[in-house]
């Protein structure tokens, strides 16, 4: 059995079934009776392994819940009409209700995972008001992703903006279960596109392995959803929640200016910039990300 097919089969790991019947792969660690539960949400074309480099630096006494978004990793492909950030937010709310029905929560989202947190706050304000003790937005954006230029100026940048919808349609039309691309080609592209200075081979390989396990059609549909994302409305419900906004100064996918918009909407949030880092902060700066998450967890424990 290949790595891709193993991860595609939720029955081989812990699974949660959402209200529309979609089975999601779930990974848990830490004691079940932890005072606070940390829920980690990954980004586009990745899966719960996004946080593998961060996990060893977290307090082992904290319960950590990770899962694969629909259409990613070991979860089922997105069903017709379900490839939206709103559905991801509902999945998260349902997962919390099932696996963490009580106690304070700290939520952290990377990229599309951070967008999911924003929409969760907008669609499930009672959950946020009663349970959320901390939030971390890691290399993410509250909008304008349909104007993405990947940092290229002028005509090249405008060409990138026009190409993205075409890429989304191309992926959405694929009928294969996995992306049939050469790992070496994906590795080279990922190294240049989503990383900053001097990533390790293990960091790049982690991103490539996850990307090649994502469901192509789901990836295309979610790319369209990301372009339409407008999350500022949800941020208003998080103004009083202890938060951090983490951004790589060389992030091409969710540029520093996007992170600054989030930080400005959350007046009490800590805004942290990482020189030389790109989009994949959980891989590039795992210790620093873990340190910020641990600080939120400790704050949640002391104010519990």
């Amino acid at each position: 059995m290949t790595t891709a097919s193993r991860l595609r089969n939720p029955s081989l790991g812990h699974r949660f079934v959402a209200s529309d019947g979609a089975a999601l792969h779930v990974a848990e660690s830490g004691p079940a009776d932890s005072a606070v539960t940390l829920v980690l949400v990954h980004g586009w074309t990745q899966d719960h392994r996004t946080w593998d480099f961060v996990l060893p630096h977290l307090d082992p006494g904290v319960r950590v819940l990770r899962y694969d978004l629909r259409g990613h990793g070991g979860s089922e492909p997105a069903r017709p009409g379900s490839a939206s950030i709103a559905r991801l937010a509902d999945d998260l709310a349902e997962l919390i209700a099932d696996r963490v029905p009580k106690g304070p929560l700290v939520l952290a989202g990377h990229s599309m995972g951070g967008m999911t947190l924003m929409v969760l706050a907008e669609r499930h304000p009672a959950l946020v008001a009663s349970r959320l003790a901390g939030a971390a937005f890691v290399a993410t954006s509250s909008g304008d992703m349909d104007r993405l230029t990947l940092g290229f100026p002028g005509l090249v940048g405008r060409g990138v903006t026009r190409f993205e919808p075409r890429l989304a349609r191309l992926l959405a039309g694929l009928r294969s279960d996995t992306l049939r691309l050469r790992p070496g080609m994906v590795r080279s592209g990922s190294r240049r596109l989503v990383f900053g200075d001097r990533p390790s081979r293990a960091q790049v390989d982690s991103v490539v392995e996850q990307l090649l396990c994502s469901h192509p059609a789901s990836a295309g549909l979610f790319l369209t959803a990301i372009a339409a994302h407008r999350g500022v409305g949800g941020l208003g419900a998080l103004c009083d929640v202890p938060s951090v906004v983490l951004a790589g100064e060389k992030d091409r996918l969710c540029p520093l200016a996007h992170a600054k918009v989030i930080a400005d909407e959350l007046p009490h949030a800590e805004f942290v910039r990482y020189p030389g880092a790109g989009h994949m902060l959980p891989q590039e700066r795992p210790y620093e990300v873990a340190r910020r998450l641990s600080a939120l967890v400790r704050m949640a424990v002391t104010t519990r």
Side-chain angles (χ1 to χ4, degrees):
M1 181 179 288
T2 66
T3 299
S5 62
R6 174 177 59 81
L7 287 174
R8 182 72 62 222
N9 187 346
S11 67
L12 297 182
H14 299 288
R15 76 172 192 165
F16 166 75
V17 179
S19 59
D20 68 347
L24 309 182
H25 178 89
V26 181
E28 298 185 54
S29 60
D33 61 351
S34 174
V36 177
T37 299
L38 173 62
V39 183
L40 305 176
V41 190
H42 68 80
W44 183 66
T45 70
Q46 299 294 283
D47 56 52
H48 72 280
R49 294 174 293 170
T50 287
W51 306 99
D52 278 356
F53 290 83
V54 174
L55 207 61
H57 302 294
L58 296 172
D59 183 345
V62 174
R63 183 187 181 198
V64 179
L65 184 67
R66 299 180 290 163
Y67 67 105
D68 296 345
L69 302 175
R70 56 179 63 210
H72 296 74
S75 293
E76 290 184 353
R79 299 184 173 202
S82 73
S84 68
I85 310 298
R87 180 66 249 191
L88 295 183
D90 292 347
D91 287 346
L92 176 55
E94 292 173 10
L95 179 64
I96 289 170
D98 183 77
R99 298 298 175 91
V100 200
K102 59 182 180 179
L105 301 162
V106 172
L107 305 181
H110 173 250
S111 193
M112 188 169 72
M115 299 174 194
T116 300
L117 302 192
M118 298 174 207
V119 180
L120 176 79
E122 191 167 19
R123 292 175 65 85
H124 301 276
L127 171 63
V128 168
S130 63
R131 304 282 308 281
L132 192 57
F137 298 94
V138 184
T140 189
S141 171
S142 65
D144 288 338
M145 293 296 286
D146 53 342
R147 303 178 184 177
L148 197 65
T149 66
L150 300 182
F152 293 107
L155 286 173
V156 176
R158 290 193 290 274
V160 169
T161 302
R162 289 193 295 268
F163 174 72
E164 184 177 306
R166 298 176 187 175
L167 175 61
R169 289 193 295 270
L170 173 64
L171 290 172
L174 295 178
R175 295 294 174 260
S176 59
D177 286 336
T178 57
L179 287 167
R180 296 171 181 173
L181 299 172
R182 292 183 179 179
M185 179 181 69
V186 179
R187 185 178 296 111
S188 177
S190 297
R191 165 65 185 86
R192 289 170 172 78
L193 182 61
V194 300
F195 284 96
D197 298 336
R198 297 183 298 278
S200 71
R201 177 65 178 261
Q203 291 167 355
V204 178
D205 284 349
S206 170
V207 168
V208 171
E209 289 168 7
Q210 293 172 66
L211 186 151
L212 292 176
C213 286
S214 63
H215 184 254
S218 299
L221 294 169
F222 276 120
L223 187 57
T224 299
I226 289 170
H229 171 67
R230 299 293 183 270
V232 172
L235 291 172
L238 298 168
C239 283
D240 296 326
V241 176
S243 304
V244 294
V245 179
L246 311 181
E249 292 190 352
K250 292 192 174 182
D251 191 336
R252 291 176 176 269
L253 294 187
C254 294
L256 195 64
H258 288 212
K260 184 66 166 57
V261 170
I262 299 171
D264 288 345
E265 292 291 328
L266 301 173
H268 304 297
E270 184 179 12
F271 182 34
V272 185
R273 301 166 49 157
Y274 295 101
H279 186 62
M280 305 309 298
L281 288 180
Q283 281 91 351
E284 296 179 79
R285 300 290 188 272
Y287 173 75
E288 290 89 341
V289 171
R291 187 162 66 91
R292 301 294 175 177
L293 298 183
S294 296
L296 288 175
V297 170
R298 286 194 301 269
M299 189 181 305
V301 171
T302 58
T303 59
R304 181 168 175 250

